[in-house]
Amino acid sequence: MNNHPRWRKSSRSNPDGHCVEVALAINGAIGLRDSKAPGPIVELTRTEWASLLTALKNT
């Protein structure tokens, strides 16, 4: 991830604070993290991100 990614919370975030945040890295990767424990970051390629979104929409 870049030095200062702009993290955004999911529009489907839970009101009690269980949220997923996403950010775009300089290298084009998509970062995912837990907003309550923003330590570990999962990085996905744009292709992996698209596959994840498709899979989530189809569940």
Side-chain angles (χ1 to χ4, degrees), residues 8 10-12 20 22 30 32 44-59:
R8 295 183 308 126
S10 168
S11 61
R12 298 198 180 240
V20 174
V22 294
I30 308 296
L32 297 173
L44 303 172
T45 65
R46 289 182 180 267
T47 301
E48 291 168 332
W49 175 248
S51 295
L52 175 62
L53 292 179
T54 298
L56 291 172
K57 289 176 185 175
N58 291 326
T59 58

Side-chain angles (χ1 to χ4, degrees), residues 12-51:
R12 298 198 180 240
S13 293
N14 190 318
D16 65 3
H18 295 102
C19 307
V20 174
E21 294 178 324
V22 294
L24 179 62
I26 290 174
N27 66 2
I30 308 296
L32 297 173
R33 71 178 185 181
D34 180 343
S35 65
K36 288 181 75 174
I41 297 170
V42 175
E43 285 192 24
L44 303 172
T45 65
R46 289 182 180 267
T47 301
E48 291 168 332
W49 175 248
S51 295

